[in-house]
Amino acid sequence: MDTVLRNARVVDGTGGPSYRADVALREGRIAEIRREGEGPRPSAHRTLDATGLALAPGFIDMHAHSDLALLTDPSHEAKAAQGVTLEVVGQDGLSYAPVDDRTLPRIRTQIAGWNGAGRDADFTWRTVGEYLDRLDEGIAVNAAYLVPQGTVRMLAVGWEDRPATDAEIARMQALVAEGLEQGAVGLSSGLTYTPGMYATDAELAALCRVVARYDGYYCPHHRSYGAGALAAYAEMIDVARAAGCALHLAHATLNFEVNKGRAAELLALLDAALAGGADISLDTYPYTPGCTTLAAMLPSWANEGGPEAASARLADDGTAARIRYAMEVEGADGCHGVPVDWETIEISGVARPHLADHVGKSVAASARERGEEPWATARRLLLEDRLGTTILQHVGHEENVRAIMRHRVHTGGSDGILHGAKPHPRAYGTFPHYLGRYVRELGVLSLEEGVAHLTSRPAARLRLPDRGLVRVGNRADLALFDPETVAAGSTFEAPRALPTGIPFVLVDGRFVMKDGRRTDVLAGRSVRRTPAG
């Protein structure tokens, strides 16, 4: 054997009782599991005494925004230190493949708030396959990719708010099929982001029928997490049902005051669909605030045409007044149909250094410092930062978070935006926060249940039979943690602090974290859907 992990408490990902065992690894896979007292113990070139540690499958981040971070910082300590061994990127309908020379610059501008400008990336790829090839050059953890529907719509339709023609739908279907053939695991949408939000349900169903043919899944950021949230969830269930497609609901939260205490209604909707034969899963992060870009909160008509058109509208006083009214009075679709409360909008990152003094303050507080109304501050930020400002939205409800994470189809996803001076702590803390706060301290889930939510359930959604379980023959993607001390180090005040209690993490049987420190191992690669036929 290459490595033996001795005396570990194996939490195998099934949700069943843990047990004591030696686990032997060879050539990147689990070669033997010898339970305590069962017979001769395996030997190896390298032995690690795991007494006092739980041994679990590596955690799978079902909703990551590391699309550029994996390339510009391949060591990727933010995720490796959490025990994450696989993450799914290409989320929310917007990412960097497939693109052409016309759409790439606009994509880079539109999601600079998520990923930065990408000045350290060469952007030589254009297709999904070429992007995955770049990941295969060596990254810290494995990565799977979703074809982003908004990016596909840019290629086929542009940035116009109109229904796609039959010819344009056919082209989008071909682009989705090409991405799936090249290894993508499904399709994502961002239905509060332009231009993906301009798609009709019929258009979405047409694309989902392609996904279903390839046994992938549809992962929508649906049309509202606020005033229309429950209707938006029902809409996505109907779209997936019409297409015969598996559905994974992204960051499945219920936010804003209008949804306080309404988790039971969402779970009843899910249970009814599941009872009717639907294939549904979801992910959440274990925090109440959300995170996005300030520009995403604009009404959709203000973003039509792309970033340059949005900036021009903001610069025009008359149009800016209309935008303000939509946000503050009507409740714009970008604000999930709820009038914006600037006290709840915290500025977490800016692209232009001269705006750094806004970071860590609410828009309302920053406006008070300047003796102006919040809209004036928000408008100036959007224009001067070229739409690159990121925000935290303090609009969540703890009772909803806990109720949803108990559900049988729940998985974990960080929705982690790594860019910005003050990112959401979920980017660095989601998985240890689940284990430390919600498993050990609150008992919302047992240890075995919590690990299953973070490992085997997402692996099943991704159709990865050799991951997500501590089982002979499976990939040796593993996390060793102390159940008594594991905790997120990241906080809203220190969002990049690393977790505690996760001393060892292995990818492909190699230590990417050892004694709590990042090694120089880059064992991660793209995880591709097996081509049809």
Side-chain angles (χ1 to χ4, degrees):
M1 301 296 175
D2 300 325
T3 303
V4 170
L5 309 172
R6 292 208 188 281
N7 306 313
R9 177 186 175 184
V10 177
V11 186
D12 64 8
T14 63
S18 60
Y19 57 87
R20 195 79 52 192
D22 295 347
V23 178
L25 315 178
R26 182 169 54 209
E27 296 179 354
R29 293 189 178 269
I30 299 170
E32 184 177 351
I33 301 173
R34 183 73 65 177
R35 296 195 182 216
E36 188 175 52
E38 280 191 344
R41 307 179 81 175
S43 60
H45 300 294
R46 176 174 49 223
T47 299
L48 173 68
D49 185 359
T51 300
L53 298 178
L55 173 63
F59 307 131
I60 298 176
D61 188 344
M62 286 296 288
H63 194 101
H65 286 284
S66 307
D67 308 50
L68 290 187
L70 285 162
L71 300 178
T72 59
D73 180 21
S75 67
H76 209 36
E77 190 174 39
K79 294 298 178 66
Q82 294 184 61
V84 171
T85 58
L86 169 61
E87 54 185 357
V88 185
V89 297
Q91 299 285 350
D92 294 330
L94 292 167
S95 190
Y96 304 98
V99 292
D100 60 18
D101 292 345
R102 174 182 60 94
T103 60
L104 178 59
R106 287 191 171 186
I107 281 282
R108 291 180 62 180
T109 299
Q110 183 168 349
I111 55 177
W114 293 353
N115 301 305
R119 296 183 182 90
D120 296 330
D122 58 21
F123 292 99
T124 55
W125 68 87
R126 291 295 179 267
T127 68
V128 169
E130 289 168 349
Y131 173 76
L132 297 178
D133 288 344
R134 285 290 307 277
L135 299 180
D136 286 340
E137 294 175 12
I139 49 180
V141 306
N142 299 302
Y145 190 76
L146 295 166
V147 179
Q149 171 256 333
T151 301
V152 166
R153 201 174 206 270
M154 288 181 199
L155 281 168
V157 182
W159 284 263
E160 294 78 27
D161 181 2
R162 63 170 177 81
T165 66
D166 290 346
E168 289 165 342
I169 290 175
R171 186 181 179 208
M172 286 189 281
Q173 288 178 312
L175 287 166
V176 171
E178 180 182 75
L180 292 163
E181 286 282 354
Q182 293 171 353
V185 296
L187 175 75
S188 76
S189 284
L191 300 179
T192 65
Y193 301 127
T194 58
M197 69 190 306
Y198 301 140
T200 65
D201 288 356
E203 178 182 323
L204 296 172
L207 301 186
C208 285
R209 283 193 286 273
V210 176
V211 177
R213 289 205 306 268
Y214 287 89
D215 201 25
Y217 68 94
Y218 178 43
C219 179
H221 164 131
H222 49 272
R223 297 192 195 273
S224 175
Y225 289 81
L230 289 169
Y233 282 114
E235 177 192 8
M236 294 300 97
I237 292 170
D238 289 344
V239 166
R241 182 185 289 118
C245 185
L247 176 66
H248 180 84
L249 297 166
H251 37 58
T253 57
L254 282 166
N255 292 333
F256 303 93
E257 192 65 24
V258 68
N259 288 315
K260 187 174 183 178
R262 299 188 72 185
E265 296 175 59
L266 170 60
L267 300 181
L269 177 68
L270 293 177
D271 287 337
L274 290 163
D279 182 0
I280 303 175
S281 55
L282 59 87
D283 66 70
T284 69
Y285 47 83
Y287 299 87
T288 53
C291 180
T292 187
T293 63
L294 185 58
M297 300 185 67
L298 299 173
S300 58
W301 59 262
N303 274 314
E304 184 182 1
E308 297 87 352
S311 295
R313 293 185 181 102
L314 286 162
D316 178 78
D317 289 343
T319 309
R322 289 179 56 212
I323 293 172
R324 177 183 184 177
Y325 186 83
M327 295 179 71
E328 295 186 345
V329 179
E330 295 178 328
D333 47 6
C335 301
H336 304 278
V338 178
V340 65
D341 177 357
W342 296 112
E343 296 285 0
T344 69
I345 307 303
E346 179 184 350
I347 302 153
S348 60
V350 293
R352 301 298 182 269
H354 74 279
L355 301 170
D357 62 333
H358 291 275
V359 173
K361 304 168 186 173
S362 71
V363 172
S366 197
R368 283 192 293 270
E369 289 182 359
R370 289 159 178 78
E372 60 188 13
E373 294 184 340
W375 168 246
T377 298
R379 181 187 179 193
R380 184 184 307 108
L381 270 170
L382 287 162
L383 287 169
E384 293 187 20
D385 212 23
R386 301 177 191 173
L387 311 184
T389 305
T390 51
I391 59 169
L392 302 181
Q393 286 183 280
H394 295 272
V395 293
H397 305 287
E398 180 67 19
E399 63 270 37
N400 287 345
V401 170
R402 296 189 194 186
I404 293 168
M405 75 169 63
R406 292 189 183 102
H407 197 271
R408 59 192 173 94
V409 300
H410 170 265
T411 68
S414 70
D415 196 13
I417 294 175
L418 301 166
H419 174 67
K422 193 174 180 288
H424 197 302
R426 68 193 185 193
Y428 285 74
T430 285
F431 295 87
H433 198 51
Y434 265 119
L435 297 170
R437 176 68 173 157
Y438 288 92
V439 169
R440 182 181 65 247
E441 295 178 6
L442 298 177
V444 175
L445 300 168
S446 71
L447 179 62
E448 289 83 0
E449 288 171 334
V451 167
H453 285 231
L454 306 180
T455 58
S456 62
R457 290 187 185 180
R461 166 52 68 223
L462 293 166
R463 309 283 198 259
L464 299 175
D466 62 349
R467 300 178 195 266
L469 293 169
V470 180
R471 184 170 64 188
V472 171
N474 273 22
R475 294 273 185 180
D477 293 349
L478 302 165
L480 285 140
F481 63 93
D482 184 346
E484 300 303 317
T485 64
V486 62
S490 59
T491 64
F492 287 98
E493 293 71 33
R496 286 191 169 85
L498 296 179
T500 57
I502 308 179
F504 301 99
V505 182
L506 298 93
V507 174
D508 202 35
R510 301 167 65 191
F511 286 93
V512 296
M513 296 293 296
K514 193 171 186 180
D515 296 320
R517 297 181 180 277
R518 180 70 179 89
T519 69
D520 61 359
V521 170
L522 297 176
R525 298 293 185 270
S526 68
V527 173
R528 308 192 190 206
R529 190 202 59 80
T530 303

